[in-house]
Structure formats: C-alpha cells, structure tokens
Amino acid sequence: METLAYFPRCLIFSLLLFLSHSPHRVSSHDQVQIDGEKKNYYQLDLPSVSGPESIAFDCNGRGPYVGVSDGRILRWEGAEIGWTEFAVPSINRDRKACDGSTDPKREQLCGRPLGLKFSPVSCDLYIADAYFGLLSVGPNGGAASQLATSADGIPFRLTNALDIDTQTGDVYFTDSSIFFQRREYFLAIIGGDKTGRLLKYDPHMKKVTVLQKELAFPNGVALSKDNSFVVVAETGMMRILKFEIHGDGGGVFAQLERYPDNIKRNDQGEFWVALNAVRGRIQGSNVFDSIPNWLNMRDPVAVKYDEKGNVVRVLDGDGGETLESVSEVEEENGVLYVGSVVKPYLGVIKN
C-alpha cells in the first residue's frame, strides 16, 4: 500500500478529525423525537473527558458504565456523586499523561474502550479496547486483564465491539481492520478495506476463533435473545449482516444508507442500531421504506429492528447538534441511553 496514494484522503481525514473534536458543549434539551412523538431528554455531563462510545449495566443493574476518551471506564453513581472511576485498561497506564485526555494521539498509550458488556455468566466486565485488544475486569473494577491481542497469528489493530452468549459466556467481538487503527478508521472505510474479522473468545479454553473474514470494517455486534444468531454492523458496506451460530445460514439483515455503528439488543430481543455518520435529509432512500410515511423522519440517527429485520422504532436527531454523533443506544428498563464518539455527555431519553 503506497502512502502517497492516500495523501488526498489523509487530508480529508485530518479535517474531519479536527472538526469532530472541536471543543464545544451543547445545552441540554428537554425533548427529542421517537417515531414522531416527543420524549423527555437530559444529559449526564462527563468530567473533563468525552466520547462515551459504549454503555453497560452490571449484573446488579448498576450503571450506566461508559468507556471514555482517556481510556477509563466510568460508572454513574447518581446525581449527588456523579461519575466515578471503575476500571482502567492496563495496570501500566500512565495516569499523569492520560487522565482527562481527549487527544486521539494519546489513545495508543492510554487505551480507548469501544465495546462494553458485563457477562451474565461471570458478571465480569468485558472490554473491546481499540488498542489493547480484548480485556476483562472483575465486578469490583480495577486494572483490566488482557485476554487476547491476536487471532490466527494476526494481531488485532482495531478491536471494536462485543456481545456475550448468555448461556456459555462466549464473547463475540469484532476487529475492524488488520491494517488501520482507530485514529485511521476513515481511511479504512473510504479505501474499501475488507480485512475485518468477526471473532469468538471462549473464556473456558481461553481461545480465540475467527468466525468470518474479509469484512468491510465490521463494527457493532449483538447476539439474538436465544443466542441462535449474531448480527454485525458492516460499516464499510452500510449494512447489517446476520450469521447463524450453529450452521451456515445468514445473509443481509438490513441494508442502510448511513454508516451503522454499535448494535445493542434489549430484553425483548430487538436490536438498536446506531447510525453515526452521513447526516442530513435522506431522499429516495430505501433504508426506511418500512417506516410509515406519517412519521416523516427528517434525521434518523438510530433504528430499532425486530428479530426478522423489521423496523420497530426510529430516533430522530432533528438535524441538531445534540444527537449528531450517536454511537450506541442502550435500552434499560424502558430508558434509552445514547452514547457518542465525541460528545462530552451521555444522553438519556425517558418515555
């Protein structure tokens, strides 16, 4: 791969990176729209960090937990206490250089947690860290342990998202590229890189298996409620893929016209897909053909699908800054927690 061939794209990427990290805060809004209906909305501001990419709740229902820009995992302790530190990606992490950092250039040193999930089997927190690989930390937090950094002799370059089998504890996760790291993600997408992989980690055998290769920036991943299949966001192809856990069945679960990010399943077995980029009014798109016309979605930033791939609900960003960078939607007890790659807050939507 010749560096000079990517020179114009590097300029584009640098500009986008600069714009996406421009320091600005958005005032809290009282309402947002879901399916054309106004819903109550507020924000949990982060302490001098940004980018709550992924969200999790532990086995006791505590949380939300989020991974942030300086590599740490934070836990919300309520309005009086606010956010506290729960875990760090490595015992060797340099606190002086990392704590409070929002600089993408420090991520390789500090870590960048992108996927979070507490195992329903062990109650350990599993972390897909873009630079440190697949990690885990016990229910009481602390320094995470590194579980895997490669598969089939090929190192992970961008460990991205994960989900966990509720019966076996097996961890399904994505490595988005074998060439590009997180800070270079846009190059992987516009360059058509198809070296991403879907993998499985067996916590009993401590072994990683490659399930699918040659994926175009595989991103979010979620298992069905009965653990019979897994859906994966293939961001580079703007689609969601479905793979049967036992057997060769599968195919395209949903075709999109915005780049999908993380996927989270709720207790009813439905999947929230975050749509993180390429905003603006979608005209003539087939993404939302199954949405009733009366909804008139102006700016869909997340979509909920049932297990058959039918659209159930749509979250509308309404063209504003509040929901302009949605990386994940976690539904917990009827409340939606909205993550972001760059925002300095976690959004909360109550029905």
Side-chain angles (χ1 to χ4, degrees):
M1 183 180 300
E2 294 293 330
T3 303
L4 290 177
Y6 277 94
F7 182 70
R9 293 171 178 171
C10 288
L11 289 179
I12 295 172
F13 172 70
S14 297
L15 177 60
L16 290 172
L17 193 62
F18 171 78
L19 291 174
S20 67
H21 287 85
S22 298
H24 66 279
R25 287 184 176 271
V26 181
S27 299
S28 296
H29 289 238
D30 293 329
Q31 294 183 322
V32 295
Q33 288 194 69
I34 301 182
D35 295 347
E37 297 181 7
K38 297 288 186 179
K39 302 294 182 180
N40 293 326
Y41 171 85
Y42 63 93
Q43 294 167 181
L44 304 179
D45 292 335
L46 294 168
S48 302
V49 288
S50 62
E53 165 90 7
S54 186
I55 307 147
F57 288 83
D58 64 24
C59 290
N60 296 312
R62 292 176 299 183
Y65 296 73
V66 296
V68 294
S69 58
D70 67 0
R72 293 181 296 165
I73 309 298
L74 305 181
R75 181 173 69 191
W76 178 251
E77 300 282 6
E80 292 187 5
I81 299 176
W83 295 99
T84 61
E85 180 183 298
F86 176 74
V88 293
S90 170
I91 196 171
N92 298 317
R93 178 178 171 277
D94 186 341
R95 286 192 174 275
K96 185 176 180 180
C98 296
D99 282 7
S101 173
T102 58
D103 184 358
K105 295 179 181 178
R106 295 189 184 184
E107 290 179 353
Q108 194 164 4
L109 170 68
C110 304
R112 186 61 172 102
L114 300 183
L116 301 180
K117 183 80 173 186
F118 280 90
S119 170
V121 177
S122 67
C123 292
D124 291 341
L125 175 64
Y126 282 82
I127 306 162
D129 188 285
Y131 297 88
F132 293 172
L134 184 65
L135 315 174
S136 71
V137 65
N140 295 320
S145 300
Q146 196 170 55
L147 302 177
T149 59
S150 66
D152 290 351
I154 301 175
F156 303 151
R157 292 287 287 177
L158 207 174
T159 324
N160 201 325
L162 59 83
D163 198 7
I164 302 174
D165 189 301
T166 56
Q167 300 298 319
T168 66
D170 290 343
V171 182
Y172 292 78
F173 65 106
T174 53
D175 180 30
S176 295
S177 173
I178 66 173
F179 295 124
F180 296 95
Q181 293 188 310
R182 195 191 90 88
R183 60 183 179 273
E184 305 163 325
Y185 77 94
F186 198 69
L187 295 181
I189 294 174
I190 66 174
D193 177 62
K194 292 185 178 180
T195 63
R197 298 177 289 176
L198 172 65
L199 310 107
K200 182 180 75 171
Y201 174 77
D202 184 331
H204 306 291
M205 302 295 293
K206 302 185 186 304
K207 178 183 178 182
V208 177
T209 303
V210 178
L211 301 179
Q212 297 290 331
K213 300 180 181 178
E214 300 179 351
L215 298 175
F217 206 87
N219 202 330
V221 55
L223 286 154
S224 62
K225 188 174 181 179
D226 65 359
N227 303 298
S228 65
F229 68 88
V230 60
V231 289
V232 178
E234 192 178 23
T235 302
M237 299 297 289
M238 294 187 185
R239 64 186 182 182
I240 309 299
L241 299 177
K242 175 183 176 180
F243 300 106
E244 300 290 341
I245 298 300
H246 303 291
D248 298 326
V252 177
F253 182 77
Q255 184 66 54
L256 307 167
E257 293 206 13
R258 287 189 177 188
Y259 292 116
D261 201 325
N262 290 345
I263 308 175
K264 280 296 184 79
R265 189 195 74 248
N266 64 15
D267 290 339
Q268 287 71 48
E270 301 161 326
F271 302 102
W272 273 107
V273 178
L275 305 175
N276 202 350
V278 189
R279 291 190 61 181
R281 192 177 184 87
I282 299 179
Q283 298 180 352
S285 168
N286 63 357
V287 183
F288 303 108
D289 283 348
S290 58
I291 300 175
N293 292 331
W294 60 267
L295 292 180
N296 191 27
M297 283 295 111
R298 174 172 178 258
D299 179 29
V301 295
V303 186
K304 183 164 71 171
Y305 293 94
D306 64 19
E307 287 195 336
K308 295 182 179 179
N310 300 310
V311 174
V312 178
R313 302 185 77 183
V314 182
L315 175 60
D316 189 2
D318 200 29
E321 292 183 335
T322 304
L323 299 176
E324 69 181 353
S325 176
V326 176
S327 62
E328 180 169 295
V329 176
E330 172 79 17
E331 186 173 349
E332 181 75 8
N333 296 323
V335 178
L336 301 183
Y337 296 85
V338 183
S340 169
V341 177
V342 296
K343 295 298 184 181
Y345 54 78
L346 180 69
V348 183
I349 302 172
K350 289 191 173 182
N351 290 330

